[in-house]
Amino acid sequence: MTSPVVPVDLDDVRLRTLERQPAAKAGPAAAKELEVVFLTQLLRAMRKTIPENDLLPRAPARDVYEGVFDRSVATSMAEQDPLGIVRGIGLKVGAGPADTKVGNPPEGTGESH
């Protein structure tokens, strides 16, 4: 007999891994992971707006591929903190509290008020 296949929620696995990290590293890592999860969901929602066609019919393999692709693109995008989620909650990835306040652009961006 074979055991039943149990779906694994990779986002849940990643969040459980963050729970085991020391507090100093967990905050920035959790903020970055939040941005990755948000961007993944955003890409998935954007993909649903594209009309279906007969060129690539719906299939389980395609769903897996698109999920992995969206996660990979979101991870690459999150490296630059494009939405400012990490900076916005007062954390800097890889460091302690950020030097910038919410609503103020980071120094050196050329933006002024």
Side-chain angles (χ1 to χ4, degrees):
M1 275 198 201
T2 60
S3 60
V5 175
V6 178
V8 176
D9 184 1
L10 294 178
D11 291 334
D12 187 52
V13 171
R14 288 180 181 92
L15 293 175
R16 298 285 174 246
T17 302
L18 289 173
E19 288 176 349
R20 293 189 294 269
Q21 289 185 354
K25 291 183 180 180
K32 183 177 176 190
E33 185 64 25
L34 173 66
E35 188 154 23
V36 170
V37 170
F38 178 77
L39 289 169
T40 301
Q41 294 297 320
L42 178 67
L43 291 169
R44 187 174 298 151
M46 290 170 62
R47 185 180 309 284
K48 287 182 181 180
T49 66
I50 300 171
E52 291 290 324
N53 61 30
D54 295 334
L55 181 62
L56 292 173
R58 269 281 150 223
R62 179 178 167 194
D63 293 338
V64 170
Y65 168 77
E66 287 176 351
V68 171
F69 179 78
D70 290 346
R71 177 73 188 196
S72 177
V73 170
T75 301
S76 295
M77 289 172 64
E79 291 295 323
Q80 302 298 319
D81 192 23
L83 303 175
I85 292 175
V86 175
R87 194 174 52 250
I89 61 175
L91 297 173
K92 209 178 217 179
V93 176
D99 296 332
T100 61
K101 294 181 181 176
V102 175
N104 294 335
E107 293 188 27
T109 60
E111 298 179 29
S112 61
H113 288 107

